[in-house]
Amino acid sequence: MTQIKAVSALSRYDGSTNSKETVMYKNILVPVSFEADRNAKGAMEIAKSLRAEGGQITCLHVMEQLPQYATEYLPAGHLDAAKADIVESLKELTEGVEGATTLVVDGHSSRTILAHANNNDVDLIIIASHQPGMQDYLLGSTAAKVVRHAHCAVHVLR
């Protein structure tokens, strides 16, 4: 089991000697994947500790589009049932967290995460990632794409 040590704030040096300011975030995005090796609870703990007073946390799950030929073999209502299960899991993740909302959308994971961050003035993305394998070095994982292309701070949790 992975241990999480959340920090209460990040520090940023402003260039002068011994001067340090505390940075907290007003709008945090936590993309959630329910794969076994992702630590969504740990990402939420970090988000809670880095959120500024009155700030918000959005837990976002992106449902990847299935090819039309694949959906033909799924039972009727399967995708709606899967989406309802995901919504319930996100609610459990954010239960009791003030200022937390959940969102389930269809799309491509990295592009949808980045678009949401850009369109909603997100100032921090906290994304749980797996240990990269060779396929990630050749193709790039979702977390790697988010890190490379985000216009805000990104915290990657392994």
Side-chain angles (χ1 to χ4, degrees):
M1 176 138 98
T2 305
Q3 270 189 323
I4 300 301
K5 294 181 181 177
V7 295
S8 60
L10 293 181
S11 297
R12 176 173 58 206
Y13 291 94
D14 65 5
S16 60
T17 317
N18 296 328
S19 180
K20 185 167 73 168
E21 69 177 281
T22 301
V23 179
M24 300 297 279
Y25 299 93
K26 291 201 168 281
N27 191 357
I28 300 174
L29 177 62
V30 181
V32 175
S33 171
F34 293 105
E35 295 176 39
D37 59 350
R38 302 304 196 282
N39 189 349
K41 289 182 182 179
M44 274 302 292
E45 289 301 316
I46 292 170
K48 290 189 300 187
S49 69
L50 294 176
R51 178 184 55 190
E53 188 174 324
Q56 72 177 33
I57 299 170
T58 303
C59 284
L60 171 71
H61 179 80
V62 181
M63 292 184 70
E64 291 277 344
Q65 296 289 325
L66 295 175
Q68 180 64 34
Y69 67 86
T71 58
E72 293 175 8
Y73 296 102
L74 295 174
H78 174 77
L79 293 177
D80 291 333
K83 190 171 188 173
D85 288 344
I86 290 166
V87 167
E88 192 58 39
S89 295
L90 289 175
K91 284 182 183 177
E92 289 174 15
L93 191 62
T94 59
E95 188 174 354
V97 179
E98 185 179 324
T101 58
T102 62
L103 183 61
V104 179
V105 296
D106 294 324
H108 179 272
S109 294
S110 60
R111 287 191 300 256
T112 304
I113 291 165
L114 292 165
H116 180 86
N118 289 337
N119 295 336
N120 293 281
D121 297 321
V122 167
D123 50 4
L124 174 64
I125 300 170
I126 300 174
I127 189 165
S129 181
H130 64 287
Q131 294 294 330
M134 190 58 175
Q135 75 277 8
D136 296 315
Y137 293 114
L138 298 175
L139 300 174
S141 68
T142 299
K145 290 175 187 173
V146 169
V147 167
R148 281 194 304 269
H149 300 288
H151 295 288
C152 63
V154 179
H155 182 107
V156 179
L157 174 65
R158 287 208 177 144

